[in-house]
Amino acid sequence: MYIVHFIENKNVLLNQLRKTVPAEGEALTIKGRKGKVTSVTNIDEKTIHVQMTMDPVNKSKLASDNTKKKKR
Protein backbone atom coordinates (compact mmCIF):
# COMPACT_ATOMS: atom_id res chain seq x y z
CA MET A 1 0.00 0.00 0.00
CA TYR A 2 1.28 3.43 -0.99
CA ILE A 3 0.32 6.92 0.15
CA VAL A 4 -0.09 8.89 -3.09
CA HIS A 5 -0.22 12.71 -3.05
CA PHE A 6 -1.69 14.18 -6.27
CA ILE A 7 -0.25 17.70 -6.78
CA GLU A 8 -0.92 20.42 -9.37
CA ASN A 9 1.15 23.64 -9.29
CA LYS A 10 2.07 23.23 -5.59
CA ASN A 11 -1.62 22.63 -4.72
CA VAL A 12 -2.50 19.27 -3.22
CA LEU A 13 -5.52 17.89 -5.05
CA LEU A 14 -5.91 14.56 -3.29
CA ASN A 15 -4.15 12.23 -0.83
CA GLN A 16 -5.00 8.61 -1.39
CA LEU A 17 -3.98 5.19 -0.08
CA ARG A 18 -3.53 2.99 -3.15
CA LYS A 19 -2.27 -0.47 -3.99
CA THR A 20 -0.76 0.65 -7.31
CA VAL A 21 1.14 3.76 -8.35
CA PRO A 22 -0.03 5.66 -11.46
CA ALA A 23 2.40 5.71 -14.38
CA GLU A 24 3.66 8.78 -16.26
CA GLY A 25 1.31 9.84 -19.05
CA GLU A 26 -1.67 8.04 -17.54
CA ALA A 27 -5.02 9.86 -17.75
CA LEU A 28 -6.83 10.24 -14.40
CA THR A 29 -10.01 11.87 -13.16
CA ILE A 30 -9.78 13.65 -9.80
CA LYS A 31 -12.78 15.47 -8.31
CA GLY A 32 -14.55 15.34 -11.67
CA ARG A 33 -11.69 16.96 -13.58
CA LYS A 34 -9.64 15.13 -16.19
CA GLY A 35 -5.86 15.34 -16.17
CA LYS A 36 -2.60 13.58 -17.02
CA VAL A 37 0.30 12.47 -14.86
CA THR A 38 3.45 14.43 -15.72
CA SER A 39 5.90 13.00 -13.18
CA VAL A 40 6.08 10.52 -10.32
CA THR A 41 8.50 11.11 -7.41
CA ASN A 42 9.26 8.60 -4.64
CA ILE A 43 9.75 10.39 -1.31
CA ASP A 44 10.32 7.23 0.73
CA GLU A 45 9.27 3.59 0.41
CA LYS A 46 5.56 4.35 1.06
CA THR A 47 5.08 8.03 0.14
CA ILE A 48 4.81 9.07 -3.52
CA HIS A 49 4.21 12.52 -5.06
CA VAL A 50 2.42 12.58 -8.42
CA GLN A 51 2.56 15.82 -10.44
CA MET A 52 -0.59 16.41 -12.52
CA THR A 53 -1.67 18.79 -15.28
CA MET A 54 -5.42 19.27 -15.30
CA ASP A 55 -7.46 20.19 -18.37
CA PRO A 56 -8.78 23.77 -18.17
CA VAL A 57 -12.41 24.26 -17.19
CA ASN A 58 -14.49 26.04 -19.83
CA LYS A 59 -17.09 28.24 -18.17
CA SER A 60 -19.86 29.28 -20.51
CA LYS A 61 -21.40 32.69 -19.95
CA LEU A 62 -25.14 33.04 -20.25
CA ALA A 63 -26.27 35.69 -22.67
CA SER A 64 -28.25 38.31 -20.84
CA ASP A 65 -31.44 39.02 -22.75
CA ASN A 66 -32.80 42.32 -21.44
CA THR A 67 -35.50 42.67 -24.12
CA LYS A 68 -37.92 40.47 -22.23
CA LYS A 69 -37.76 42.53 -19.05
CA LYS A 70 -40.80 44.59 -18.19
CA LYS A 71 -40.19 48.32 -18.44
CA ARG A 72 -41.76 50.65 -15.93
Side-chain angles (χ1 to χ4, degrees):
M1 299 291 276
Y2 301 103
I3 302 168
V4 181
H5 300 271
F6 294 97
I7 302 170
E8 177 194 23
N9 298 333
K10 297 183 182 179
N11 295 327
V12 177
L13 298 173
L14 178 69
N15 297 329
Q16 197 172 35
L17 186 64
R18 296 178 64 140
K19 290 183 180 178
T20 61
V21 178
E24 265 185 59
E26 184 177 345
L28 294 175
T29 303
I30 296 177
K31 295 185 180 179
R33 295 176 58 199
K34 295 179 183 177
K36 285 197 171 193
V37 176
T38 56
S39 68
V40 178
T41 308
N42 292 338
I43 302 302
D44 57 27
E45 57 187 47
K46 290 195 175 191
T47 306
I48 297 168
H49 285 184
V50 176
Q51 295 290 330
M52 302 274 304
T53 53
M54 304 302 280
D55 293 340
V57 177
N58 295 332
K59 295 183 180 179
S60 61
K61 293 183 181 180
L62 296 175
S64 61
D65 191 12
N66 293 335
T67 60
K68 295 182 182 179
K69 286 190 176 181
K70 187 175 181 180
K71 293 184 180 179
R72 294 183 187 216

